[in-house]
Amino acid sequence: MSDFMYIDGQAIGPGYAPYVIAELSGNHNGEIERAFKIMEAAKKSGANAIKLQTYTSDTMTIDHDGPGFVVDLPLWKGRTLYDLYQEAHTPWDWHEALFSHAKKIGITIFSSPFDATAVDLLEKLGAPAYKVASFENIDIPLIKKISNTKKPLIISTGMASLEEIEDAVQAARDGGCEELCLLHCVSSYPASIEETNLANISRLREKFGVIVGLSDHSLGTVVPIAASAVGASVIEKHFTLSRDDGGVDSTFSLEPDEMRELVDRSREAAVAVGQVKFGPKPGELESLNYRRSLYVVEDVKAGEIFTPKNIRSIRPAHGLEPKYYEAILCKKASCDIKRGEPMTWNFVDRSEL
């Protein structure tokens, strides 16, 4: 597997700025013009891509209100799955227009397909990449179907055990996927910071040797910014024009000014990580002059003994390094020395060395 991948010509991976995906989801509220405005706001906010979800209520579930078909999650409690997906889905006959609008405004667009027919639709539209949602990361046939396109693939790992993630990764590789990214994810809505466990990001990278990132459902921008500082190369966040407008995902979605903050701060955090490098940095070179060093702090006569009273470790840094302090104590001065002189070996009687 590669250390980096490309989506629509954009390089993604360690050493590059985090790739920020604005998730449209159902925040269009059933209005294509609103979807267009969300895309435009995402572009203006600095997001790299807008992502859709390609399904219908019939490709997701069946119209049934029996046990298990009624949602028990807080945000959507009491609604049937079929009804919820009917409201939240992005109509398939919008897709061509959405792809066209993305091209017009200069933002990358791709989607999460939820069944084979959705993959076929997106292939016809020339989708540059695919995303497998957390709830589908156990759908091995779907992962293989997507991988057969040979397009870059992002898989969210929400709810998945390490064994289940291994199965998904193997399915992607078996299907021919060569550019793979795993997104650490907590599939609760909203997700709590306490359950975020960003330490999983480095574990996923070590275990699978792929690009890693975060699909975040927490409130605000703290978690994704922190993720950028621990190696997340991709950040996905639900996006809306205003939470006050409502919508199935609005509660845990970012508004435009928050998305701009996320984009800017996450990139700064990634830059701050930098590389392993010890020793003075270019910006520290002037500061070296103000480290501690050994100085003569009282007038000393030739032959006089150096003591804690007449030599000290002080700033600035023009004398001998403080590590020589004990080696100089009790030695004789080779000459007269004025107070304020930086200590050198020339001040020590050679017979004492």
Side-chain angles (χ1 to χ4, degrees):
M1 305 300 286
S2 176
D3 289 336
F4 58 92
M5 63 193 290
Y6 288 90
I7 294 181
D8 205 17
Q10 176 68 51
I12 304 168
Y16 296 96
Y19 188 84
V20 178
I21 302 169
E23 168 67 73
L24 175 65
S25 186
N27 285 326
H28 50 67
N29 295 351
E31 302 171 8
I32 193 170
E33 290 300 326
R34 178 179 172 84
F36 291 154
K37 290 178 181 177
I38 290 175
M39 294 167 68
E40 292 160 7
K43 169 68 176 178
K44 187 175 180 180
S45 297
N48 298 96
I50 191 85
K51 192 184 75 65
L52 312 178
Q53 295 183 359
T54 305
Y55 65 84
T56 68
S57 51
D58 289 303
T59 65
M60 288 287 269
T61 188
I62 60 173
D63 190 0
H64 199 284
D65 61 2
F69 288 92
V70 178
V71 181
D72 197 33
L73 299 173
L75 283 182
W76 310 294
K77 191 176 181 66
R79 300 186 64 177
T80 66
L81 290 172
Y82 192 88
D83 175 59
L84 180 62
Y85 298 139
Q86 185 68 26
E87 176 187 347
H89 85 288
T90 299
W92 287 27
D93 59 7
W94 288 9
H95 278 59
E96 185 174 358
L98 294 174
F99 270 68
S100 177
H101 194 68
K103 183 176 182 179
K104 176 182 177 182
I105 65 174
I107 190 169
T108 295
I109 187 170
F110 60 98
S111 187
S112 293
F114 288 80
D115 79 325
T117 62
V119 178
D120 293 338
L121 169 66
L122 293 166
E123 275 296 282
K124 290 178 182 177
L125 294 172
Y130 290 96
K131 159 82 186 296
V132 172
S134 289
F135 290 81
E136 278 61 45
N137 60 35
I138 57 170
D139 191 338
I140 300 304
L142 177 61
I143 293 173
K144 288 183 177 179
K145 167 75 173 180
I146 296 171
S147 299
N148 287 338
T149 69
K150 304 298 190 291
K151 303 281 182 67
L153 175 59
I154 299 170
I155 301 177
S156 273
T157 62
M159 301 173 287
S161 67
L162 201 56
E163 182 179 357
E164 288 170 334
I165 298 171
E166 287 183 281
D167 289 343
V169 169
Q170 191 59 54
R173 289 172 172 163
D174 290 345
C177 175
E178 295 183 354
E179 296 180 278
L180 179 63
C181 173
L182 295 176
L183 299 187
H184 172 53
C185 179
V186 179
S187 296
S188 56
Y189 309 92
S192 70
I193 290 178
E194 293 77 11
E195 292 185 345
T196 298
N197 296 320
L198 291 179
N200 280 14
I201 289 174
S202 59
R203 179 69 177 117
L204 289 172
R205 184 189 303 108
E206 293 164 3
K207 174 70 175 175
F208 299 105
V210 298
I211 297 161
V212 293
L214 174 74
S215 177
D216 182 49
H217 301 117
S218 69
L219 302 179
T221 60
V222 170
V223 170
I225 292 171
S228 300
V230 296
S233 294
V234 176
I235 301 292
E236 180 186 59
K237 194 79 172 174
H238 285 243
F239 184 62
T240 189
L241 296 176
S242 171
R243 285 186 290 274
D244 290 340
D245 294 343
V248 293
D249 296 333
S250 61
T251 302
F252 52 90
S253 296
L254 294 185
E255 296 178 347
D257 58 337
E258 296 167 323
M259 180 61 79
R260 169 51 69 182
E261 178 188 16
L262 167 61
V263 169
D264 292 344
R265 300 292 86 80
S266 66
R267 290 172 182 170
E268 289 172 358
V271 169
V273 174
Q275 301 174 341
V276 176
K277 183 179 181 182
F278 294 97
K281 315 304 182 290
E284 295 178 312
L285 295 179
E286 288 296 320
S287 296
L288 288 174
N289 293 317
Y290 302 101
R291 298 171 108 185
R292 284 181 175 265
S293 68
L294 299 181
Y295 267 77
V296 177
V297 295
E298 287 187 353
D299 289 348
V300 174
K301 297 292 187 182
E304 190 175 340
I305 299 296
F306 290 115
T307 70
K309 188 176 179 181
N310 57 32
I311 62 167
R312 286 174 54 199
S313 171
I314 63 172
R315 299 181 185 187
H318 303 306
L320 291 174
E321 295 177 45
K323 67 181 180 180
Y324 298 115
Y325 177 71
E326 292 182 357
I328 291 172
L329 285 179
C330 301
K331 301 292 191 299
K332 292 180 182 179
S334 64
C335 59
D336 292 348
I337 313 169
K338 291 290 186 180
R339 177 179 183 270
E341 288 291 320
M343 189 68 197
T344 76
W345 288 113
N346 290 332
F347 290 163
V348 180
D349 190 316
R350 289 188 175 277
S351 65
E352 297 286 304
L353 297 176

